[in-house]
Amino acid sequence: MQHPILYSFRRCPYAMRARLAIAASGIQVEIREIILKHKPTHMISVSPKGTVPVLITTYDHIIDESLDIMHWALQQNDPNDWSALTEEQRQSTIQLIQHNDGPFKHWLDKYKYADRHPEQTEAYYRQQGELTLKTLEQKLTENDYLLGNTLSLADIAVLPFIRQFASVDKVWFDTAPYPHVQAWLNHFLQSDTFNNIMAKLPPWQENDPPCYFPILSA
Ligand SMILES: N[C@@H](CCC(=O)N[C@@H](CS)C(=O)NCC(=O)O)C(=O)O
């Protein structure tokens, strides 16, 4: 194996955070875009839990949790110092990510698919998510990014989920009273960092020639 293999899904926020870290590290992987309803047999055989992202390293080691993939990439090369954190920042990062992947993701899914959860209204689910937006707004009032004045692992891990929350009702989000969250998200969405990991790829099929990520500029 010359390159690690990354099973990914373009719009998945977990896969996005993994691709962001891999791209930042400069490690080149063979990327395999999947369709969630038709997961490749090989992916399931190496990671039966069936979620993306899945990374198979060159030593045939399987990493199938997005945060572990981020750490794997940044431990090898972290030119932006995204994971150069003080102990206090490290603790804040853990808290922010645990909250994001736990309660916030729970309400995000309900808000996104409110029609499948008629026990409460869409507005109720959004209000639960807004509790998180309020916390982030407070942090971003103090600093440009979640942990200070530079982008770090915490922003990279959380931003793809805030993007998803914002996209449920963009008109509402753009006029909601969270100007610092809006600016933080918009800055990220317009960045090369984000756009470089969002290139569209056809779904991978066995016998396809390898497709590499990130795409190296000439
Ligand atoms: N804890 C996992 C969660 C990954 C996850 O849930 N990914 C979603 C896509 S966004 C998935 O693959 N879901 C399986 C499915 O929809 O079949 C991680 O951090 O990597």
Side-chain angles (χ1 to χ4, degrees):
M1 239 173 106
Q2 280 191 322
H3 294 269
I5 294 171
L6 179 72
Y7 284 103
S8 181
F9 176 58
R10 181 174 176 272
R11 288 186 291 117
C12 165
Y14 299 99
M16 281 181 205
R17 57 160 70 139
R19 296 198 305 275
L20 284 160
I22 290 171
S25 75
I27 298 168
Q28 214 181 19
V29 298
E30 179 189 337
I31 190 162
R32 297 181 176 178
E33 176 74 9
I34 71 150
I35 299 173
L36 288 174
K37 285 195 179 130
H38 302 286
K39 290 169 192 148
T41 315
H42 178 248
M43 178 186 132
I44 298 295
S45 72
V46 299
S47 178
K49 77 184 170 88
T51 62
V52 279
V54 174
L55 183 85
I56 307 165
T57 73
T58 41
Y59 298 100
D60 270 4
H61 172 53
I62 311 299
I63 311 180
D64 60 7
E65 282 294 321
S66 57
L67 294 175
D68 295 338
I69 297 175
M70 293 182 88
H71 290 306
W72 172 87
L74 296 176
Q75 266 162 18
Q76 292 178 68
N77 196 19
D78 185 9
N80 305 317
D81 286 340
W82 284 350
S83 55
L85 306 172
T86 63
E87 185 50 29
E88 194 184 337
Q89 288 174 323
R90 207 180 66 80
Q91 291 302 332
S92 302
T93 301
I94 293 171
Q95 274 176 19
L96 280 160
I97 296 177
Q98 277 178 350
H99 177 84
N100 179 81
D101 291 16
F104 182 67
K105 174 71 163 96
H106 169 82
W107 295 118
L108 167 61
D109 286 347
K110 297 245 163 151
Y111 175 40
K112 203 170 149 207
Y113 302 111
D115 51 339
R116 296 183 205 165
H117 303 282
E119 57 280 9
Q120 295 288 351
T121 62
E122 182 186 279
Y124 173 85
Y125 295 134
R126 185 167 71 204
Q127 278 159 15
Q128 301 308 309
E130 279 187 79
L131 299 176
T132 303
L133 294 195
K134 287 190 178 108
T135 307
L136 299 184
E137 180 69 16
Q138 181 56 43
K139 288 191 180 295
L140 296 167
T141 307
E142 291 159 15
N143 291 301
D144 288 349
Y145 296 96
L146 292 179
L147 299 185
N149 281 320
T150 53
L151 192 72
S152 76
L153 188 73
D155 303 277
I156 290 301
V158 170
L159 272 159
F161 295 81
I162 304 301
R163 170 186 178 270
Q164 212 170 58
F165 189 86
S167 319
V168 175
D169 185 344
K170 202 70 179 61
V171 175
W172 173 84
F173 182 82
D174 286 345
T175 52
Y178 308 109
H180 295 89
V181 175
Q182 286 150 355
W184 170 69
L185 177 64
N186 287 335
H187 183 258
F188 173 66
L189 296 182
Q190 285 156 20
S191 67
D192 290 345
T193 304
F194 177 69
N195 286 300
N196 290 343
I197 64 125
M198 290 302 281
K200 286 196 176 143
L201 297 171
W204 174 77
Q205 292 182 19
E206 232 169 309
N207 304 323
D208 275 356
C211 172
Y212 295 109
F213 170 89
I215 296 149
L216 296 182
S217 43

